Amino acid sequence: MLDVRRMQVLRAVISSGSITAAARNLGYTPSAISQQLSTLEREAGVELLERVGRGVRPTPAGSLLSEHAETLSTQLAKAEAALTELKEGRTGRLAIRYFATAGASLVPLAVAALRRDFPGVRLDLKLVEPDDSMPEIESGKADVAMIVLPTSTPRVKGVEYVHVLDDPYRAILPKNHRLARKRVLDLGELAEDPWVGVDGLPGACRDILLEACGAAGFAPNHVVESEDYQTAQGFVAAGLGVALIPELGLGAPHPGVAIRKVRRPDPVRSIHAAVAAHAREHPAVRRFLSAIREGALTGQVRGSDQVGRKTG
């Protein structure tokens, strides 16, 4: 097996024209250079240099190895530069998982920040349910996932949980509802109403809703189920029932509904970014998280403005 470093020594000797000059340029003694060349000739099994006066010149085999040494040096320099870029987070792949309402309100601005600050990083973006991304984080298949994290959920060892925002639930009422004139409702006041279900599948979001209603002393009577928050608002506007929807899920409020704050209790879903152990110090990941938090702060201000308006 030929040694790349000895091939580079050979190239230096051929370029400078003598062992003495190469030793001076490389910072070695002439005897150390001669020893490296002797070892390389044994590895190659052929003579690489011949003496000419006080200097040396390459044999055909020496010229061949010198040319390959130059190619290898170029490739090694490229590899070192690429490795530096990767370590600094300037290249590579970043796998991000998010659920629908986080994707609509928080993720786009954070992705835009990544594209601006880390243009060499390839992004793998995937929409998933809030409870479906943790297996990918635990296995290392994904780097960051937006999740709903109740306080009772056990933390996975090695995963970093970064709090993004607390997303309060709001009561969605038909415009002509008996309670639509109130700015703040006690959740128990909706106990006898029919309900539009918005989180039909078991999971953190549904648990938050059911636990809040339970704490208010009732179980909601779901008369119709919806797969998404906008459709649920349409059902409410049509007078089919009332609903609880997290503020991030309100989107463009339906003109036929009234959106009101609730209390006793005031249900909130805590949104976190779960970061895989291998990605915790990745510069692009840290930038994504900072951008997500910046977007969350802006979104909270906008969201609070629309609650309680006469337009619903």
Side-chain angles (χ1 to χ4, degrees):
M1 179 71 69
L2 296 175
D3 186 277
V4 175
R5 289 172 298 178
R6 295 189 185 105
M7 290 173 62
Q8 291 173 332
V9 169
L10 171 66
R11 177 170 171 264
V13 170
I14 294 173
S15 299
S16 59
S18 72
I19 291 176
T20 301
R24 184 171 55 251
N25 293 336
L26 296 176
Y28 293 114
T29 64
S31 61
I33 296 294
S34 297
Q35 185 178 8
Q36 292 290 319
L37 293 174
S38 297
T39 302
L40 182 61
E41 285 187 333
R42 287 197 300 272
E43 292 174 347
V46 64
E47 187 176 355
L48 302 175
L49 294 171
E50 58 184 14
R51 290 195 172 277
V52 180
R54 294 184 178 181
V56 292
R57 66 183 178 191
T59 65
S63 295
L64 177 66
L65 286 189
S66 179
E67 292 172 3
H68 282 286
E70 183 175 5
T71 301
L72 289 172
S73 295
T74 301
Q75 293 302 317
L76 285 172
K78 289 181 179 179
E80 290 175 351
L83 182 60
T84 298
E85 290 284 301
L86 182 64
K87 289 191 293 186
E88 292 179 351
R90 299 293 170 183
T91 59
R93 169 181 168 274
L94 192 61
I96 300 171
R97 304 292 178 256
Y98 60 93
F99 57 93
T101 50
S105 56
L106 299 175
V107 173
L109 291 177
V111 170
L114 280 180
R115 295 293 295 165
R116 181 180 64 250
D117 298 341
F118 294 87
V121 174
R122 292 180 293 110
L123 298 180
D124 172 13
L125 303 171
K126 186 176 179 182
L127 174 66
V128 297
E129 292 297 323
D131 301 311
D132 292 348
S133 56
M134 282 307 297
E136 287 196 66
I137 291 294
E138 294 176 50
S139 66
K141 292 181 180 178
D143 302 298
V144 184
M146 304 302 298
I147 63 171
V148 175
L149 187 67
T151 56
S152 58
T153 301
R155 282 15 178 199
V156 177
K157 185 177 181 181
V159 174
E160 179 185 3
Y161 297 90
V162 179
H163 180 259
V164 176
L165 81 160
D166 290 326
D167 188 21
Y169 279 76
R170 302 305 186 193
I172 313 300
L173 313 174
K175 274 239 167 148
N176 59 357
H177 193 275
R178 69 187 188 282
L179 300 175
R181 293 180 177 274
K182 300 184 68 173
R183 294 186 63 85
V184 182
L185 312 179
D186 287 348
L187 187 54
E189 293 181 278
L190 301 175
E192 301 303 320
D193 282 86
W195 280 67
V196 175
V198 294
D199 289 300
L201 296 176
C205 294
R206 184 175 179 84
D207 290 345
I208 291 169
L209 188 151
L210 294 178
E211 288 173 6
C213 292
F218 71 98
N221 174 28
H222 290 125
V223 297
V224 63
E225 295 283 349
S226 170
E227 291 292 328
D228 65 89
Y229 295 135
Q230 289 302 119
T231 302
Q233 290 190 49
F235 286 154
V236 172
L240 296 176
V242 299
L244 280 184
I245 293 179
E247 196 169 86
L248 282 184
L250 294 176
H254 193 289
V257 303
I259 301 171
R260 299 294 179 259
K261 294 181 180 181
V262 292
R263 63 186 179 185
R264 300 184 184 137
D266 50 345
V268 173
R269 63 177 186 174
S270 184
I271 296 177
H272 285 66
V275 184
H278 70 270
R280 294 175 67 169
E281 302 304 322
H282 195 294
V285 170
R286 307 321 300 182
R287 181 66 186 101
F288 177 80
L289 295 176
S290 66
I292 279 285
R293 287 193 292 265
E294 292 166 8
L297 181 61
T298 303
Q300 281 179 309
V301 172
R302 283 201 302 266
S304 62
D305 287 345
Q306 66 186 10
V307 177
R309 290 181 179 173
K310 289 185 179 181
T311 58

